């Protein structure tokens, strides 16, 4: 299968390591596939078209080596995930916690306000309760506790339901 993968980071040493790993892995890629490394901020993926990505995997900063203001930066990141994911697409986020994601995905105002640059006026609801799409158009489908390099963290699976569908096919939280 033809797979085009993009790896990105705003931390230059991490990007250099990714480029080295790509060069080492080239011989292992499937025919017709490609991997490229970019210096991108995940809160601004303007160079990617709407609904152009099948899968996103993101190891979000834990705040140890990189400063990250989750309160201000998670929402624009989720807007970009929602915008770039195709319907039926999935994103897996590796994070220190999950409550802020749950809070944002259940808040009916954040996604449409951030996307439109609004002033805080209440946005319309898509549907009620956990396991439903919000203004982000994303559903928290699964959360799993994992250990990575001595850190306990969460692997969160977000789904973007097919157009016109309010629930994910199997909103199954673990």
């Amino acid at each position: 299968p033809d797979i085009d993968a993009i790896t990105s980071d705003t931390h230059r040493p991490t990007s250099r390591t990714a480029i080295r790993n790509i060069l080492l892995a080239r011989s292992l890629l499937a025919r017709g596939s490609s991997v490229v490394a970019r210096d991108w901020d995940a809160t601004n993926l303007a160079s990617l078209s709407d609904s152009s990505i099948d899968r996103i995997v993101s190891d979000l900063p834990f705040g140890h080596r990189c400063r990250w203001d989750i309160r201000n930066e998670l929402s624009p990141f989720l807007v970009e995930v929602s915008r770039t994911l195709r319907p039926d697409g999935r994103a897996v986020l590796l994070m220190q916690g999950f409550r802020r994601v749950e809070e944002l995905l259940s808040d009916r105002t954040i996604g449409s306000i951030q996307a439109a640059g609004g002033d805080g006026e209440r946005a319309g609801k898509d549907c009620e309760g956990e396991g439903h799409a919000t203004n982000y158009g994303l559903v928290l489908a699964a959360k799993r506790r994992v250990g990575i390099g001595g850190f306990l963290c969460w692997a969160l699976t977000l789904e973007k339901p097919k157009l016109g569908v309010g629930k994910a096919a199997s909103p199954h939280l673990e």
Side-chain angles (χ1 to χ4, degrees), residues 80-101:
E80 287 296 274
V81 167
S82 179
R83 183 187 67 76
T84 58
L85 267 183
R86 288 187 173 122
D88 252 358
R90 286 186 175 194
V92 176
L93 312 180
L94 190 60
M95 299 182 65
Q96 192 169 23
F98 62 87
R99 284 181 177 69
R100 183 67 178 150
V101 171

Side-chain angles (χ1 to χ4, degrees), residues 72-129:
N72 292 320
E73 296 179 74
L74 185 58
S75 183
F77 169 72
L78 292 175
V79 168
E80 287 296 274
V81 167
S82 179
R83 183 187 67 76
T84 58
L85 267 183
R86 288 187 173 122
D88 252 358
R90 286 186 175 194
V92 176
L93 312 180
L94 190 60
M95 299 182 65
Q96 192 169 23
F98 62 87
R99 284 181 177 69
R100 183 67 178 150
V101 171
E102 283 183 330
E103 179 184 311
L104 288 172
L105 293 182
S106 67
D107 186 340
R108 304 307 186 260
T109 63
I110 300 280
S112 62
I113 290 168
Q114 291 290 335
D119 62 359
E121 187 175 325
R122 195 104 174 117
K125 296 179 186 178
D126 288 332
C127 51
E128 297 283 335

